[in-house]
Amino acid sequence: SSGINAEYGGTGGAKSDPGAVGAAIEQALTAGYRHIDCALIYRNEKEVGEALRRVFDAGTIKREEVFVTGKLTETYHRPERVSEGCVQTLADLQLDYLDLYLIHSPMHLDPDSPRTDVTPDPLNPSLAETWAAMEKLVEAGQCKNIGISNFTIPQMDEVLRTAKIRPACLQVESHPHLPNLELLEYCKREDITFVAYSPLTSPGRRPGQASILENELVREIAERHNASPAQILIRYQIDKGNGVIVKSVTPSRITENLAVTDFSLSPGEVSQLSAISDSLPSGYEKRCCKWDRFHNHPRYPFED
C-alpha cells in the first residue's frame, strides 16, 4: 500500500509563485490536508521545507501524520545520481525521509547541459537502471515508497519486468477532459495507486482550452449536490478510488477543496463525467500539461 488516502486531499507546490507556497502549505495542513506533493523542478522545496518545519515545531501536527511526496528530476536518472537527487530534496524539505519518491517523468536529460536545455542524457540510462537505484533508497530508509509519474503503459511494463519493489503509485494528469481510463484500468490490474494531478484542468490550461469548471454537466451535478464545480471534480477522482493533488494558494479555496467528504457521486454520475472527453470536438487538445519543450525526446510520453 502506498499510504495515499483519497479522503485526505493532497496539495502541492507546482506553478506556485515564490513566497506564496509556504503560506499555502501551512494553511492546507491547518485545514486538514495530510498529503504534500513536492518536486525539485518546482524550485520551491526550501520554502516548503521551512513551512513544514514551522508546522512541526508548533507541535499540533506531527511529521508522521503528513504524507510527503518528492520527485526525481530528469537530470538525475543516472543510477549513481538518484541518491543525490533524493538527498537534495530531503535537505531542502528538512526531512529525514520521504513517504513517497517518484520518477517525475520517463525522460532523462544531460546533467552537464544548462538547466534550460532539454538534451537527452548521452549515457541513456534505462528505466530499469534508474528504478533499481530508486529501490536502494527504500533499502536505505530515505523513502518509504517509490513510484512513477507521467509514464505510458509500455514504460510501466519496462519498470515492472525487473522491479524488486513494485511502483506504489502512478501520478498523471486526470480530469473529465482527459480521464486516462486505460491507465487507470492498468493500475487497478497491477495494484498501483492512481493519483490525479490537475484535476481542475488548471493551473496550466492551454490557450483555447475550455475550463472544465464551466462545463454544463459539471455545474448541473454540482447544483444537485449543493457543491462547487471544483468539489465535484475532486470527488470524481475519489469515487474512482484515486488519490488527487489539488493546487491552490487561496485560503478559501484550500478549505473548500478539502470539504468533499460529506457526499459522493453515483456510479452514473462518474460515468457521465468520464464521457465528457468523448464529446469534445475532433483535434481538441485535452491535455493541460504537455511538456512541449520535450516533444522530440525519445521517451516523450504525451503523443496522444
Side-chain angles (χ1 to χ4, degrees):
S1 170
S2 67
I4 297 172
N5 186 336
E7 294 288 347
Y8 285 90
T11 190
K15 300 187 178 180
S16 294
D17 294 331
V21 66
I25 294 297
E26 288 188 71
Q27 168 72 22
L29 289 170
T30 300
Y33 285 84
R34 291 296 181 266
H35 180 185
I36 304 300
D37 184 75
C38 310
L40 187 63
I41 199 66
Y42 299 161
R43 302 174 68 192
N44 56 21
E45 287 191 329
K46 286 186 178 180
E47 187 178 344
V48 173
E50 290 165 1
L52 290 173
R53 180 51 46 206
R54 286 193 296 271
V55 169
F56 297 149
D57 285 349
T60 54
I61 300 171
K62 298 177 181 178
R63 165 64 184 99
E64 56 268 26
E65 295 175 321
V66 180
F67 191 98
V68 181
T69 297
K71 302 186 189 76
L72 181 81
T73 200
E74 287 72 24
T75 50
Y76 288 87
H77 275 223
R78 295 179 187 178
E80 66 273 17
R81 298 204 76 206
V82 169
S83 179
E84 181 184 342
C86 184
V87 167
Q88 179 67 60
T89 284
L90 287 171
D92 288 346
L93 293 176
Q94 303 183 45
L95 299 176
D96 297 324
Y97 68 91
L98 295 169
D99 296 278
L100 176 65
Y101 196 50
L102 307 177
I103 301 178
H104 202 159
S105 88
M107 299 177 287
H108 52 57
L109 294 181
D110 185 353
D112 298 318
S113 293
R115 188 182 62 80
T116 55
D117 201 355
V118 291
T119 302
D121 189 335
L123 297 186
N124 191 29
S126 70
L127 292 174
E129 290 174 319
T130 303
W131 187 256
M134 294 280 285
E135 292 174 328
K136 291 180 181 178
L137 301 179
V138 179
E139 295 165 4
Q142 292 170 301
C143 51
K144 293 187 174 183
N145 301 275
I146 48 177
I148 49 185
S149 179
N150 299 306
F151 275 48
T152 64
I153 288 175
Q155 289 165 342
M156 287 192 284
D157 282 337
E158 184 178 341
V159 168
L160 288 173
R161 272 195 292 272
T162 59
K164 296 176 182 176
I165 301 174
R166 293 171 64 83
C169 85
L170 169 71
Q171 188 182 119
V172 290
E173 180 178 345
S174 179
H175 44 74
H177 283 173
L178 184 74
N180 260 324
L181 297 180
E182 187 178 0
L183 278 173
L184 176 57
E185 289 307 311
Y186 178 96
C187 286
K188 287 181 177 178
R189 287 197 307 272
E190 297 293 343
D191 195 26
I192 296 170
T193 300
F194 184 103
V195 180
Y197 70 73
S198 295
L200 313 182
T201 68
S202 62
R205 199 166 67 246
R206 301 158 70 85
Q209 287 183 320
S211 170
I212 192 67
L213 295 167
E214 303 295 332
N215 180 273
E216 185 177 345
L217 175 62
V218 173
R219 288 188 164 275
E220 176 187 314
I221 295 174
E223 186 173 343
R224 191 181 304 155
H225 288 278
N226 194 28
S228 70
Q231 288 172 324
I232 294 302
L233 295 172
I234 295 166
R235 193 71 222 183
Y236 166 68
Q237 299 296 340
I238 293 171
D239 287 327
K240 291 191 293 180
N242 301 342
V244 56
I245 305 296
V246 190
K247 179 260 175 183
S248 180
V249 296
T250 307
S252 60
R253 289 179 181 168
I254 288 172
T255 302
E256 175 190 297
N257 290 343
L258 193 64
V260 293
T261 58
D262 60 347
F263 73 97
S264 60
L265 304 182
S266 70
E269 289 172 327
V270 170
S271 296
Q272 282 182 298
L273 291 170
S274 293
I276 288 175
S277 63
D278 298 329
S279 65
L280 295 172
S282 176
Y284 182 86
E285 180 54 74
K286 300 178 180 181
R287 188 180 297 279
C288 293
C289 303
K290 203 165 173 75
W291 298 41
D292 297 277
R293 293 191 309 124
F294 293 79
H295 189 266
N296 293 322
H297 196 287
R299 290 190 195 160
Y300 183 71
F302 303 135
E303 293 293 357
D304 49 9

